[in-house]
Amino acid sequence: MALLAGLPFVGSSSLGFLLYRNQELLQHPTLLQAVLYFVVIGVAMAFSLLHTTLAVLITGFYFGWAGFPGMLIAYTLAALTGYQVASSLDHGKMLAFLQRFPKAAAVMREMKTDSWKLVFLLRISPVTPFALMTFILAVMGVDRRRFLLASIVGMLPRSLFFYWLGTKAQDIMLLLRDPGTGNAGKVLVAVLVTVSLFGLYYLFNRAMQRALRQGTKIE
């Protein structure tokens, strides 16, 4: 988990250096190069090699709004790949381990009943690590279709905003160094983080109360 949380900083720094040395790299790409680009960033996001916000900024800068559908496909590819890899590695081990702790397992089960809201709230925040959250949600056993749909919907607000910033930028290095979100952008990010935190607290608190009520009934 620590690896998944820390790798995006390494990958993003490496990509920034690459673009600094080759600023013409992604200008005027062919169709094949564009497809390859979206596949590469999708895999990179899936394996925590690239921060999702950076991927959105760069794509907006080089591809404009014509590249936004490709960005959504790359994001879906990243979410699905990460989910499948995590599920294959875990094989239900985490849920089996939690059975040793009945209260924790009960809370986890209750959280899964609100899985759509849970995924949405985790994705809407710009500060939650994408690959790490994918790993956690996969080992929790969240339904794949709900996971994918809620992931895409949750990412849209911040993705649209940062993509727009990318399309308005004049220099890629200035954009990476300072996206220039302005006061409105800072307010939007603060609102999204606040909604995510309070929403997650509400879901966890409600799941814990339901789990306690179920425990009382069983007793």
Side-chain angles (χ1 to χ4, degrees):
M1 289 186 179
L3 186 66
L4 290 176
L7 268 180
F9 297 101
V10 178
S12 298
S13 299
S14 301
L15 180 59
F17 179 76
L18 176 64
L19 292 176
Y20 173 74
R21 299 294 298 270
N22 304 274
Q23 296 192 32
E24 310 295 320
L25 185 63
L26 296 175
Q27 290 186 355
H28 311 297
T30 65
L31 178 60
L32 180 59
Q33 289 171 335
V35 171
L36 180 61
Y37 166 81
F38 287 115
V39 170
V40 169
I41 64 168
V43 173
M45 289 189 294
F47 291 97
S48 197
L49 298 174
L50 181 64
H51 198 284
T52 54
T53 300
L54 179 64
V56 170
L57 286 170
I58 292 174
T59 305
F61 178 82
Y62 283 108
F63 290 86
W65 286 110
F68 191 73
M71 187 68 239
L72 287 181
I73 293 173
Y75 177 77
T76 305
L77 171 65
L80 181 59
T81 301
Y83 182 96
Q84 291 299 123
V85 170
S87 299
S88 299
L89 291 174
D90 181 66
H91 289 298
K93 294 185 182 69
M94 179 64 74
L95 293 179
F97 174 75
L98 284 177
Q99 296 307 315
R100 302 180 184 180
F101 309 94
K103 292 182 180 179
V107 173
M108 184 75 74
R109 285 194 299 270
E110 294 299 329
M111 289 287 285
K112 283 177 62 177
T113 63
D114 290 321
S115 57
W116 201 97
K117 296 176 183 177
L118 174 64
V119 177
F120 175 82
L121 290 168
L122 286 171
R123 294 309 196 198
I124 200 173
S125 172
V127 299
T128 52
F130 172 81
L132 177 59
M133 292 302 104
T134 299
F135 177 84
I136 292 173
L137 292 166
V139 300
M140 280 179 62
V142 171
D143 179 75
R144 182 171 58 184
R145 291 184 180 180
R146 289 185 182 182
F147 165 78
L148 285 175
L149 179 59
S151 291
I152 295 171
V153 175
M155 283 287 288
L156 273 178
R158 61 188 177 100
S159 293
L160 285 169
F161 174 69
F162 284 108
Y163 202 95
W164 173 77
L165 285 180
T167 63
K168 295 296 182 182
Q170 301 298 318
D171 182 89
I172 184 61
M173 295 316 301
L174 291 177
L175 175 65
L176 297 181
R177 191 178 302 115
D178 180 17
T181 57
N183 291 331
K186 291 180 174 65
V187 169
L188 175 63
V189 171
V191 168
L192 293 178
V193 172
T194 301
V195 169
S196 176
L197 289 176
F198 277 94
L200 289 170
Y201 172 78
Y202 171 76
L203 285 184
F204 180 77
N205 189 53
R206 191 171 67 170
M208 189 161 55
Q209 290 177 357
R210 289 201 304 260
L212 288 174
R213 286 197 297 268
Q214 290 295 329
T216 302
K217 291 179 183 179
I218 294 174
E219 292 174 0

